[in-house]
Amino acid sequence: MAKQAGMATRRDRGSRTGRPIMALLDLLGRRWALRILWELRGEPLTSRTLRSACDEASPTVLQARLTELREAGFVELGDGGGYGLTPLGRELCETFMPLHRFAERWRT
């Protein structure tokens, strides 16, 4: 299929083809990314509280993931200094709820 004129193909880490699903899976597969999203599903958390919730993840790695998740549009820094999910981030977390329920049944 020919590429339409004027359309740029976005190339992301983890995807030589620019396919959005590959870029998303690469981002979510990075260390602590899913855990950060999971911990933020309820309410915004400060960096210190988030680090504690993430089993004392390295501050450097935690900040790198937060930066990537903010750039991807899933996380935002609120006025009070806490990190929270954007509407897109909440939508993403909702897509994981069936998998969470399955994991709970599987684990028992």
Side-chain angles (χ1 to χ4, degrees):
M1 183 187 315
K3 189 165 73 168
Q4 291 181 343
M7 284 189 68
T9 300
R10 182 177 171 192
R11 303 248 188 243
D12 290 307
R13 180 182 134 175
S15 175
R16 289 186 294 233
T17 64
R19 290 189 176 122
I21 187 67
M22 299 310 294
L24 177 63
L25 290 176
D26 177 68
L27 175 62
L28 297 179
R30 295 176 196 169
R31 190 170 187 181
W32 297 108
L34 282 172
R35 179 69 180 267
I36 290 168
L37 292 170
W38 189 254
E39 295 299 339
L40 293 177
R41 76 191 184 284
E43 62 184 12
L45 300 174
T46 64
S47 185
R48 179 172 288 160
T49 305
L50 184 57
R51 183 171 179 241
S52 179
C54 289
D55 300 324
E56 301 298 325
S58 155
T60 304
V61 173
L62 188 65
Q63 286 304 314
R65 288 303 94 77
L66 283 167
T67 298
E68 293 167 351
L69 292 168
R70 286 178 67 193
E71 289 173 353
F74 297 127
V75 172
E76 62 188 354
L77 183 59
D79 295 334
Y83 290 94
L85 295 177
T86 64
L88 187 63
R90 284 190 294 278
E91 183 181 348
L92 176 63
C93 283
E94 284 299 314
T95 65
F96 284 110
M97 292 312 291
L99 186 60
H100 169 68
R101 288 188 293 273
F102 176 84
E104 291 293 320
R105 286 191 312 273
W106 171 75
R107 189 76 190 251
T108 57

XYZ file of all heavy atoms in Angstrom:
854
model
N 0.850 -1.166 0.000
C 0.000 0.000 0.000
C 0.898 1.232 0.000
O 1.832 1.325 0.774
C -0.901 -0.005 1.232
C -1.832 1.171 1.207
S -2.879 1.505 2.631
C -3.598 0.063 3.164
N 0.615 2.175 -0.846
C 1.429 3.381 -0.950
C 1.133 4.324 0.203
O 0.004 4.443 0.649
C 1.145 4.081 -2.271
N 2.190 4.993 0.658
C 2.037 5.970 1.722
C 1.447 7.246 1.137
O 1.854 7.681 0.067
C 3.405 6.241 2.356
C 3.318 7.070 3.607
C 4.588 7.020 4.410
C 5.681 7.816 3.764
N 6.831 8.013 4.630
N 0.492 7.832 1.826
C -0.122 9.051 1.344
C 0.884 10.189 1.392
O 1.694 10.277 2.298
C -1.338 9.418 2.198
C -2.488 8.482 2.026
C -3.666 8.903 2.884
O -3.549 9.681 3.811
N -4.816 8.365 2.554
N 0.834 11.062 0.400
C 1.738 12.198 0.355
C 1.509 13.095 1.550
O 0.384 13.349 1.953
C 1.509 12.991 -0.940
N 2.590 13.558 2.135
C 2.509 14.482 3.254
C 2.365 13.821 4.610
O 2.435 14.480 5.622
N 2.135 12.505 4.645
C 2.005 11.819 5.925
C 3.358 11.310 6.370
O 4.011 10.564 5.656
C 1.037 10.635 5.824
C -0.407 11.024 5.780
S -1.475 9.586 5.915
C -1.164 9.085 7.592
N 3.772 11.722 7.535
C 5.032 11.245 8.091
C 4.759 10.007 8.931
O 3.761 9.933 9.626
C 5.668 12.330 8.962
N 5.648 9.044 8.858
C 5.544 7.860 9.689
C 6.323 8.126 10.958
O 7.501 8.448 10.908
C 6.121 6.617 8.977
O 5.391 6.422 7.775
C 6.012 5.397 9.849
N 5.662 8.001 12.084
C 6.315 8.235 13.364
C 7.098 6.991 13.735
O 6.561 5.894 13.753
C 5.262 8.552 14.412
C 5.868 8.839 15.740
C 4.800 9.211 16.721
N 5.417 9.274 18.027
C 4.766 9.352 19.143
N 3.475 9.398 19.142
N 5.402 9.406 20.281
N 8.341 7.175 14.052
C 9.188 6.062 14.478
C 9.462 6.209 15.967
O 9.947 7.230 16.417
C 10.507 6.075 13.710
C 10.303 6.019 12.215
C 10.786 4.711 11.674
N 10.752 4.744 10.236
C 9.997 3.944 9.520
N 9.226 3.081 10.090
N 10.010 4.003 8.216
N 9.107 5.207 16.719
C 9.317 5.211 18.150
C 10.256 4.092 18.532
O 10.379 3.097 17.815
C 7.985 5.006 18.887
C 7.075 6.206 18.766
O 7.537 7.306 19.092
O 5.919 6.039 18.353
N 10.888 4.270 19.680
C 11.722 3.207 20.210
C 10.877 1.944 20.309
O 9.727 1.992 20.726
C 12.208 3.613 21.604
C 13.085 2.579 22.238
C 13.489 3.021 23.612
N 13.306 1.875 24.477
C 13.644 1.827 25.737
N 14.133 2.881 26.319
N 13.463 0.745 26.441
N 11.405 0.824 19.911
C 10.678 -0.435 19.983
C 9.842 -0.719 18.754
O 9.163 -1.724 18.699
N 9.885 0.166 17.771
C 9.079 -0.053 16.579
C 9.781 0.537 15.368
O 9.798 1.745 15.181
C 7.695 0.581 16.730
O 6.982 0.452 15.526
N 10.345 -0.320 14.556
C 10.959 0.164 13.316
C 9.883 0.535 12.300
O 10.137 1.263 11.365
C 11.876 -0.906 12.736
C 13.141 -1.092 13.551
C 14.057 -2.047 12.856
N 13.439 -3.367 12.843
C 14.020 -4.463 13.272
N 15.247 -4.427 13.712
N 13.398 -5.613 13.239
N 8.689 0.015 12.504
C 7.605 0.258 11.556
C 6.768 1.472 11.920
O 5.987 1.932 11.105
C 6.661 -0.952 11.503
O 6.051 -1.102 12.788
C 7.401 -2.220 11.117
N 6.897 1.957 13.153
C 6.067 3.065 13.598
C 4.675 2.638 14.015
O 3.814 3.472 14.227
N 4.439 1.331 14.145
C 3.120 0.845 14.553
C 2.850 1.255 15.993
O 3.637 0.960 16.892
C 3.033 -0.665 14.409
C 3.011 -1.096 12.967
C 2.696 -2.570 12.829
N 2.604 -2.896 11.435
C 3.370 -3.814 10.842
N 4.260 -4.484 11.535
N 3.228 -4.066 9.557
N 1.738 1.912 16.249
C 1.438 2.409 17.593
C 1.434 1.324 18.670
O 1.907 1.564 19.781
C 0.052 3.040 17.448
C -0.034 3.411 16.009
C 0.728 2.349 15.273
N 0.921 0.138 18.357
C 0.861 -0.912 19.383
C 2.266 -1.314 19.820
O 2.508 -1.572 20.996
C 0.038 -2.138 18.904
C -0.161 -3.144 20.041
C 0.717 -2.826 17.726
C -1.030 -2.654 21.160
N 3.214 -1.353 18.892
C 4.580 -1.732 19.244
C 5.233 -0.654 20.111
O 5.926 -0.961 21.076
C 5.408 -1.987 17.983
C 4.869 -3.118 17.127
S 4.534 -4.655 18.040
C 6.163 -5.109 18.531
N 4.986 0.596 19.783
C 5.538 1.691 20.583
C 4.929 1.687 21.986
O 5.638 1.887 22.979
C 5.287 3.022 19.890
N 3.623 1.443 22.081
C 2.960 1.402 23.388
C 3.491 0.251 24.226
O 3.809 0.427 25.406
C 1.447 1.278 23.220
C 0.656 1.164 24.528
C 0.809 2.417 25.374
C -0.811 0.887 24.235
N 3.605 -0.932 23.633
C 4.108 -2.082 24.388
C 5.550 -1.875 24.831
O 5.935 -2.303 25.920
C 3.959 -3.367 23.567
C 2.517 -3.822 23.373
C 2.471 -5.043 22.454
C 1.825 -4.105 24.693
N 6.335 -1.204 24.009
C 7.699 -0.903 24.412
C 7.695 0.014 25.627
O 8.406 -0.229 26.598
C 8.479 -0.258 23.268
C 9.873 0.129 23.705
O 10.688 -0.774 23.981
O 10.141 1.336 23.819
N 6.903 1.074 25.592
C 6.838 2.006 26.715
C 6.358 1.303 27.978
O 6.962 1.440 29.041
C 5.906 3.180 26.378
C 5.642 4.167 27.510
C 6.926 4.859 27.963
C 4.597 5.186 27.092
N 5.299 0.539 27.874
C 4.740 -0.130 29.046
C 5.640 -1.241 29.571
O 5.553 -1.607 30.745
C 3.351 -0.682 28.732
C 2.301 0.370 28.371
C 0.976 -0.304 28.051
C 2.153 1.410 29.464
N 6.515 -1.753 28.714
C 7.427 -2.809 29.130
C 8.684 -2.312 29.822
O 9.463 -3.106 30.351
N 8.866 -1.016 29.864
C 10.045 -0.472 30.536
C 9.885 -0.606 32.049
O 8.775 -0.525 32.582
C 10.256 0.993 30.153
C 10.578 1.132 28.687
C 10.695 2.565 28.273
N 10.628 2.629 26.809
C 10.489 3.740 26.127
N 10.414 4.901 26.742
N 10.429 3.708 24.815
N 11.010 -0.800 32.710
C 11.021 -1.025 34.144
C 10.234 0.060 34.882
O 10.477 1.238 34.680
C 12.455 -1.068 34.645
C 12.563 -1.517 36.054
C 13.986 -1.774 36.415
N 13.994 -2.369 37.735
C 15.066 -2.701 38.371
N 16.244 -2.510 37.830
N 14.996 -3.234 39.571
N 9.304 -0.353 35.711
C 8.467 0.459 36.591
C 7.321 1.191 35.884
O 6.472 1.779 36.548
C 9.289 1.467 37.404
C 10.243 0.792 38.329
C 11.599 0.737 38.180
C 9.933 0.038 39.500
N 12.156 -0.002 39.203
C 11.154 -0.445 40.030
C 8.760 -0.278 40.152
C 11.210 -1.217 41.172
C 8.826 -1.050 41.294
C 10.044 -1.503 41.790
N 7.238 1.195 34.571
C 6.203 1.968 33.880
C 4.796 1.511 34.275
O 3.962 2.330 34.661
C 6.387 1.894 32.369
N 4.525 0.221 34.188
C 3.197 -0.279 34.547
C 2.905 -0.072 36.029
O 1.782 0.273 36.406
C 3.056 -1.757 34.189
C 2.805 -2.054 32.726
C 2.875 -3.552 32.462
C 1.464 -1.498 32.282
N 3.910 -0.265 36.857
C 3.706 -0.085 38.301
C 3.340 1.358 38.614
O 2.455 1.629 39.435
C 4.965 -0.503 39.048
C 4.885 -0.345 40.554
C 3.899 -1.364 41.170
N 3.830 -1.215 42.605
C 4.569 -1.907 43.458
N 5.439 -2.803 43.022
N 4.443 -1.716 44.740
N 4.004 2.304 37.968
C 3.690 3.721 38.179
C 2.249 4.001 37.791
O 1.497 4.614 38.553
C 4.663 4.617 37.388
C 6.061 4.546 38.005
C 4.159 6.049 37.335
C 7.151 5.149 37.130
N 1.848 3.543 36.622
C 0.468 3.752 36.182
C -0.514 3.119 37.163
O -1.536 3.715 37.512
C 0.262 3.188 34.779
C 0.999 3.912 33.659
C 0.916 3.108 32.371
C 0.440 5.320 33.468
N -0.206 1.929 37.619
C -1.083 1.220 38.539
C -1.221 1.982 39.856
O -2.317 2.132 40.387
C -0.567 -0.193 38.776
C -1.524 -1.033 39.544
C -1.416 -1.422 40.847
C -2.756 -1.581 39.073
N -2.500 -2.179 41.211
C -3.330 -2.291 40.140
C -3.413 -1.536 37.855
C -4.545 -2.950 40.017
C -4.619 -2.198 37.732
C -5.170 -2.897 38.806
N -0.118 2.467 40.377
C -0.152 3.185 41.653
C -0.883 4.518 41.535
O -1.453 5.000 42.509
C 1.257 3.402 42.192
C 1.990 2.127 42.559
C 1.320 1.296 43.645
O 0.504 1.836 44.423
O 1.601 0.083 43.713
N -0.889 5.110 40.359
C -1.556 6.398 40.158
C -3.030 6.261 39.800
O -3.717 7.262 39.626
C -0.841 7.200 39.066
C 0.567 7.680 39.407
C 1.178 8.381 38.215
C 0.557 8.584 40.629
N -3.525 5.044 39.718
C -4.903 4.847 39.267
C -5.920 5.426 40.230
O -7.037 5.722 39.839
C -5.184 3.373 38.987
C -5.382 2.530 40.212
C -5.383 1.040 39.901
N -5.679 0.253 41.076
C -4.829 0.016 42.063
N -3.608 0.509 42.016
N -5.182 -0.716 43.111
N -5.568 5.602 41.489
C -6.522 6.114 42.467
C -6.487 7.620 42.604
O -7.448 8.314 42.273
N -5.380 8.130 43.060
C -5.266 9.560 43.313
C -3.846 10.015 42.997
O -2.927 9.197 42.957
C -5.596 9.877 44.766
C -4.650 9.216 45.751
C -5.046 9.457 47.198
O -6.162 9.929 47.445
O -4.224 9.176 48.070
N -3.670 11.313 42.795
C -2.314 11.819 42.539
C -1.401 11.551 43.732
O -1.842 11.553 44.884
C -2.525 13.325 42.348
C -3.947 13.467 41.934
C -4.676 12.372 42.674
N -0.146 11.298 43.439
C 0.850 11.022 44.470
C 2.075 11.895 44.251
O 2.461 12.148 43.113
C 1.285 9.550 44.422
C 0.201 8.490 44.632
C 0.780 7.106 44.393
C -0.395 8.590 46.028
N 2.685 12.301 45.346
C 3.951 13.028 45.240
C 5.029 12.055 44.797
O 4.862 10.837 44.895
C 4.366 13.647 46.585
O 4.612 12.579 47.518
C 3.306 14.598 47.121
N 6.129 12.593 44.351
C 7.238 11.761 43.910
C 7.702 10.835 45.034
O 7.953 9.657 44.823
C 8.387 12.647 43.434
O 9.420 11.871 42.899
N 7.794 11.358 46.237
C 8.247 10.554 47.387
C 7.249 9.437 47.705
O 7.640 8.288 47.937
C 8.447 11.453 48.596
C 8.901 10.675 49.824
C 9.279 11.578 50.954
N 10.550 12.196 50.579
C 11.019 13.308 51.103
N 10.335 13.949 52.016
N 12.173 13.798 50.730
N 5.961 9.757 47.712
C 4.939 8.750 47.996
C 4.900 7.695 46.894
O 4.763 6.505 47.169
C 3.557 9.412 48.145
O 3.641 10.430 49.143
C 2.500 8.410 48.541
N 5.045 8.132 45.661
C 5.064 7.205 44.538
C 6.266 6.278 44.634
O 6.149 5.072 44.411
C 5.074 7.964 43.213
C 5.003 7.138 41.946
C 3.765 6.238 41.932
C 5.010 8.044 40.730
N 7.410 6.822 44.989
C 8.613 5.989 45.138
C 8.404 4.936 46.217
O 8.765 3.771 46.047
C 9.825 6.852 45.462
C 11.084 6.040 45.556
C 12.330 6.901 45.648
N 13.476 6.048 45.767
C 14.293 6.059 46.816
N 14.121 6.917 47.792
N 15.306 5.215 46.858
N 7.808 5.325 47.315
C 7.519 4.382 48.392
C 6.542 3.307 47.926
O 6.716 2.123 48.221
C 6.955 5.130 49.596
O 6.648 4.247 50.628
N 5.520 3.706 47.182
C 4.536 2.753 46.663
C 5.163 1.790 45.664
O 4.690 0.668 45.496
C 3.376 3.494 46.010
N 6.232 2.220 45.022
C 6.930 1.388 44.030
C 8.110 0.657 44.652
O 9.147 0.440 43.998
C 7.384 2.254 42.858
S 6.037 2.831 41.826
N 7.984 0.296 45.914
C 9.016 -0.495 46.585
C 10.389 0.152 46.518
O 11.386 -0.529 46.259
C 9.075 -1.919 46.022
C 7.760 -2.651 46.188
O 7.087 -2.457 47.208
O 7.392 -3.408 45.268
N 10.414 1.460 46.716
C 11.683 2.188 46.747
C 12.465 2.062 45.434
O 13.675 1.821 45.426
C 12.539 1.754 47.935
C 11.876 1.975 49.277
C 11.569 3.442 49.586
O 12.345 4.328 49.204
O 10.525 3.679 50.226
N 11.766 2.232 44.346
C 12.432 2.241 43.032
C 13.495 3.337 43.027
O 13.363 4.349 43.715
C 11.408 2.507 41.932
N 14.502 3.154 42.258
C 15.560 4.149 42.133
C 14.958 5.491 41.721
O 14.167 5.546 40.780
C 16.570 3.678 41.084
O 17.248 4.763 40.520
N 15.343 6.589 42.404
C 14.801 7.897 42.032
C 15.108 8.263 40.584
O 14.287 8.879 39.903
C 15.486 8.872 42.986
C 16.039 8.062 44.085
C 16.238 6.679 43.557
N 16.271 7.872 40.105
C 16.657 8.177 38.730
C 15.748 7.462 37.734
O 15.250 8.067 36.785
C 18.123 7.782 38.488
O 18.940 8.451 39.444
C 18.573 8.127 37.096
N 15.520 6.180 37.956
C 14.659 5.401 37.060
C 13.215 5.883 37.168
O 12.528 6.039 36.157
C 14.762 3.891 37.366
C 13.746 3.092 36.566
C 16.167 3.384 37.090
N 12.767 6.153 38.388
C 11.405 6.624 38.587
C 11.169 7.934 37.831
O 10.163 8.079 37.130
C 11.128 6.807 40.071
C 9.694 7.104 40.452
C 8.786 5.927 40.132
C 9.604 7.449 41.926
N 12.100 8.861 37.929
C 11.950 10.135 37.231
C 12.007 9.962 35.714
O 11.266 10.628 34.979
C 13.009 11.137 37.695
C 12.735 11.683 39.076
C 11.364 12.315 39.202
O 10.928 13.097 38.359
N 10.646 11.965 40.260
N 12.860 9.054 35.253
C 12.935 8.789 33.809
C 11.598 8.252 33.300
O 11.093 8.680 32.262
C 14.064 7.806 33.502
N 10.997 7.288 34.043
C 9.713 6.728 33.618
C 8.620 7.792 33.681
O 7.768 7.866 32.797
C 9.302 5.549 34.510
C 10.080 4.278 34.330
C 10.067 3.714 32.922
N 11.197 4.156 32.149
C 12.446 3.692 32.250
N 12.746 2.729 33.072
N 13.413 4.187 31.495
N 8.614 8.599 34.739
C 7.604 9.653 34.839
C 7.715 10.623 33.672
O 6.705 11.033 33.104
C 7.738 10.394 36.173
C 7.189 9.652 37.381
C 7.639 10.318 38.673
C 5.674 9.547 37.317
N 8.926 10.959 33.295
C 9.135 11.848 32.153
C 8.591 11.212 30.881
O 7.876 11.856 30.106
C 10.626 12.184 31.994
O 11.059 12.876 33.163
C 10.879 13.037 30.759
N 8.894 9.941 30.658
C 8.407 9.246 29.465
C 6.885 9.139 29.456
O 6.249 9.352 28.414
C 9.032 7.850 29.383
C 10.511 7.872 29.128
C 11.197 6.539 29.361
O 10.566 5.603 29.895
O 12.385 6.445 29.014
N 6.313 8.834 30.608
C 4.859 8.705 30.697
C 4.172 10.054 30.537
O 3.073 10.138 29.986
C 4.459 8.033 32.012
C 4.861 6.555 32.118
C 4.698 6.051 33.541
C 4.072 5.699 31.136
N 4.818 11.117 30.997
C 4.274 12.473 30.777
C 4.349 12.826 29.301
O 3.387 13.358 28.740
C 5.041 13.490 31.610
C 4.707 13.416 33.092
C 5.512 14.381 33.910
N 5.121 15.749 33.581
C 5.822 16.814 33.945
N 6.941 16.684 34.625
N 5.404 18.023 33.643
N 5.476 12.545 28.666
C 5.628 12.843 27.239
C 4.636 12.059 26.394
O 4.186 12.531 25.353
C 7.063 12.556 26.785
C 8.068 13.551 27.329
C 9.513 13.176 27.028
O 9.766 12.060 26.490
O 10.396 13.982 27.343
N 4.287 10.857 26.853
C 3.324 10.025 26.127
C 1.877 10.469 26.378
O 0.964 9.997 25.711
C 3.497 8.559 26.538
N 1.683 11.351 27.350
C 0.346 11.862 27.625
C -0.460 11.063 28.629
O -1.666 11.276 28.768
N 0.186 10.162 29.369
C -0.522 9.331 30.329
C -0.495 9.894 31.751
O -1.374 9.587 32.552
C 0.053 7.904 30.361
C -0.087 7.180 29.061
C 1.011 6.590 28.453
C -1.315 7.077 28.433
C 0.891 5.920 27.247
C -1.449 6.407 27.223
C -0.337 5.824 26.636
N 0.528 10.662 32.073
C 0.721 11.183 33.425
C 0.923 12.689 33.331
O 1.501 13.187 32.363
C 1.954 10.510 34.091
C 2.304 11.162 35.412
C 1.704 9.024 34.289
N 0.439 13.381 34.361
C 0.649 14.827 34.421
C 1.066 15.216 35.833
O 0.761 14.503 36.795
C -0.609 15.580 34.012
C -1.810 15.319 34.907
C -3.090 15.920 34.353
O -3.033 16.629 33.333
O -4.151 15.651 34.946
N 1.749 16.333 35.928
C 2.145 16.889 37.219
C 1.101 17.927 37.588
O 0.895 18.904 36.864
C 3.535 17.515 37.128
C 4.117 18.076 38.414
C 4.215 16.988 39.483
C 5.494 18.673 38.148
N 0.422 17.685 38.708
C -0.652 18.585 39.116
C -0.140 19.843 39.784
O 1.046 19.982 40.089
N -1.052 20.759 40.025
C -0.718 22.026 40.662
C -0.138 21.831 42.059
O 0.710 22.594 42.494
C -1.961 22.924 40.738
C -2.462 23.323 39.362
O -1.645 23.355 38.413
O -3.668 23.589 39.230
N -0.603 20.815 42.762
C -0.125 20.555 44.116
C 1.195 19.815 44.166
O 1.668 19.453 45.236
N 1.794 19.552 43.014
C 3.076 18.868 42.971
C 2.986 17.363 42.862
O 3.991 16.696 42.743
N 1.787 16.815 42.907
C 1.642 15.375 42.788
C 1.441 14.943 41.354
O 0.972 15.715 40.512
N 1.814 13.713 41.069
C 1.618 13.131 39.751
C 0.273 12.424 39.721
O -0.108 11.753 40.679
C 2.722 12.123 39.427
C 4.054 12.764 39.206
C 4.970 12.891 40.250
C 4.410 13.270 37.965
C 6.201 13.494 40.045
C 5.631 13.876 37.752
C 6.527 13.988 38.802
O 7.740 14.587 38.599
N -0.431 12.575 38.614
C -1.711 11.906 38.442
C -1.884 11.475 37.005
O -1.112 11.857 36.124
N -2.890 10.680 36.793
C -3.184 10.210 35.443
C -3.960 11.277 34.680
O -4.815 11.953 35.232
C -4.009 8.924 35.485
C -3.335 7.700 36.079
C -4.323 6.538 36.116
C -2.085 7.323 35.304
N -3.676 11.385 33.416
C -4.466 12.219 32.512
C -5.710 11.412 32.126
O -5.787 10.209 32.428
C -3.667 12.540 31.240
O -3.416 11.304 30.548
C -2.357 13.251 31.545
N -6.662 12.008 31.452
C -7.803 11.212 30.964
C -7.343 10.026 30.099
O -7.887 8.928 30.206
C -8.627 12.216 30.162
C -8.347 13.531 30.850
C -6.883 13.445 31.231
N -6.319 10.233 29.280
C -5.794 9.143 28.458
C -5.164 8.061 29.341
O -5.332 6.864 29.084
C -4.758 9.692 27.464
C -4.242 8.719 26.419
C -5.369 8.260 25.498
C -3.124 9.372 25.610
N -4.483 8.474 30.390
C -3.892 7.523 31.327
C -4.944 6.721 32.062
O -4.789 5.514 32.275
N -6.037 7.382 32.441
C -7.138 6.660 33.097
C -7.777 5.659 32.137
O -8.114 4.541 32.518
C -8.180 7.647 33.633
C -7.724 8.353 34.905
C -8.845 9.128 35.561
N -9.309 10.255 34.764
C -8.726 11.454 34.717
N -7.646 11.674 35.429
N -9.212 12.420 33.985
N -7.917 6.067 30.883
C -8.469 5.148 29.880
C -7.568 3.928 29.714
O -8.046 2.792 29.637
C -8.634 5.867 28.548
C -9.254 5.016 27.470
C -9.390 5.736 26.144
O -9.211 6.968 26.076
O -9.681 5.036 25.150
N -6.267 4.151 29.687
C -5.324 3.042 29.573
C -5.451 2.100 30.760
O -5.511 0.879 30.581
C -3.887 3.572 29.455
C -2.791 2.515 29.417
C -2.923 1.630 28.180
C -1.419 3.186 29.457
N -5.514 2.654 31.963
C -5.644 1.808 33.150
C -6.943 1.015 33.134
O -6.974 -0.138 33.570
C -5.523 2.650 34.418
S -3.820 3.091 34.782
N -8.007 1.617 32.628
C -9.276 0.901 32.529
C -9.160 -0.303 31.598
O -9.826 -1.313 31.814
C -10.396 1.828 32.065
C -10.894 2.744 33.147
C -11.469 1.995 34.340
O -12.248 1.044 34.149
O -11.120 2.367 35.471
N -8.336 -0.190 30.579
C -8.181 -1.319 29.657
C -7.482 -2.490 30.338
O -7.611 -3.626 29.884
C -7.410 -0.941 28.377
O -6.075 -0.590 28.713
C -8.088 0.189 27.631
N -6.763 -2.218 31.421
C -6.068 -3.278 32.149
C -6.926 -3.953 33.202
O -6.547 -4.992 33.736
C -4.796 -2.742 32.808
C -3.678 -2.535 31.843
C -3.272 -1.256 31.521
C -3.053 -3.606 31.247
C -2.250 -1.058 30.617
C -2.034 -3.415 30.342
C -1.635 -2.144 30.025
N -8.081 -3.398 33.516
C -8.905 -3.968 34.579
C -9.371 -5.401 34.274
O -9.332 -6.237 35.168
C -10.081 -3.049 34.913
C -9.626 -1.746 35.575
S -8.445 -1.950 36.933
C -9.474 -2.718 38.156
N -9.796 -5.733 33.056
C -10.137 -7.134 32.798
C -8.935 -8.068 33.006
O -9.091 -9.170 33.531
C -10.592 -7.138 31.333
C -11.064 -5.744 31.089
C -10.139 -4.876 31.917
N -7.758 -7.624 32.637
C -6.554 -8.429 32.858
C -6.273 -8.568 34.350
O -5.896 -9.639 34.829
C -5.362 -7.793 32.141
C -4.067 -8.583 32.153
C -4.238 -9.947 31.498
C -2.976 -7.787 31.445
N -6.495 -7.505 35.102
C -6.320 -7.539 36.560
C -7.281 -8.553 37.186
O -6.876 -9.365 38.020
C -6.551 -6.142 37.139
C -6.651 -6.116 38.623
N -5.577 -6.378 39.442
C -7.691 -5.858 39.441
C -5.956 -6.289 40.700
N -7.238 -5.969 40.717
N -8.543 -8.506 36.767
C -9.523 -9.453 37.306
C -9.150 -10.887 36.943
O -9.265 -11.801 37.766
C -10.930 -9.101 36.821
C -11.471 -7.836 37.494
C -12.939 -7.609 37.164
N -13.165 -7.297 35.756
C -13.114 -6.075 35.238
N -12.834 -5.037 36.010
N -13.348 -5.876 33.968
N -8.685 -11.095 35.716
C -8.243 -12.424 35.305
C -7.076 -12.888 36.174
O -7.040 -14.026 36.639
C -7.828 -12.418 33.826
C -7.266 -13.738 33.385
C -8.102 -14.759 32.982
C -5.896 -13.963 33.398
C -7.583 -15.991 32.589
C -5.370 -15.178 33.016
C -6.220 -16.203 32.611
N -6.115 -12.006 36.406
C -4.940 -12.354 37.222
C -5.348 -12.723 38.645
O -4.789 -13.648 39.247
C -3.941 -11.195 37.227
N -6.326 -12.010 39.191
C -6.808 -12.334 40.541
C -7.423 -13.725 40.576
O -7.177 -14.482 41.510
C -7.829 -11.281 40.995
C -7.230 -9.917 41.265
C -6.303 -9.922 42.470
O -6.607 -10.578 43.476
O -5.255 -9.234 42.393
N -8.215 -14.063 39.560
C -8.822 -15.412 39.517
C -7.738 -16.468 39.307
O -7.772 -17.523 39.907
C -9.861 -15.496 38.391
C -11.143 -14.765 38.682
C -12.237 -15.105 37.663
N -11.815 -15.036 36.279
C -11.838 -13.928 35.531
N -12.266 -12.797 36.039
N -11.461 -13.963 34.268
N -6.783 -16.186 38.451
C -5.713 -17.128 38.152
C -4.852 -17.384 39.368
O -4.425 -18.500 39.624
C -4.868 -16.552 37.008
C -3.613 -17.309 36.744
C -3.487 -18.518 36.129
C -2.287 -16.894 37.070
N -2.181 -18.897 36.047
C -1.410 -17.900 36.625
C -1.761 -15.779 37.709
C -0.040 -17.824 36.799
C -0.384 -15.686 37.865
C 0.437 -16.714 37.420
N -4.637 -16.354 40.169
C -3.744 -16.439 41.326
C -4.350 -17.272 42.444
O -3.642 -17.818 43.274
C -3.451 -15.028 41.825
C -2.391 -14.922 42.857
C -1.039 -15.075 42.177
N 0.005 -15.221 43.150
C 0.909 -14.313 43.427
N 0.902 -13.187 42.796
N 1.825 -14.550 44.325
N -5.696 -17.387 42.493
C -6.334 -18.122 43.596
C -6.466 -19.588 43.318
O -6.333 -20.102 42.294
C -7.726 -17.552 43.900
O -8.515 -17.600 42.716
C -7.625 -16.158 44.432
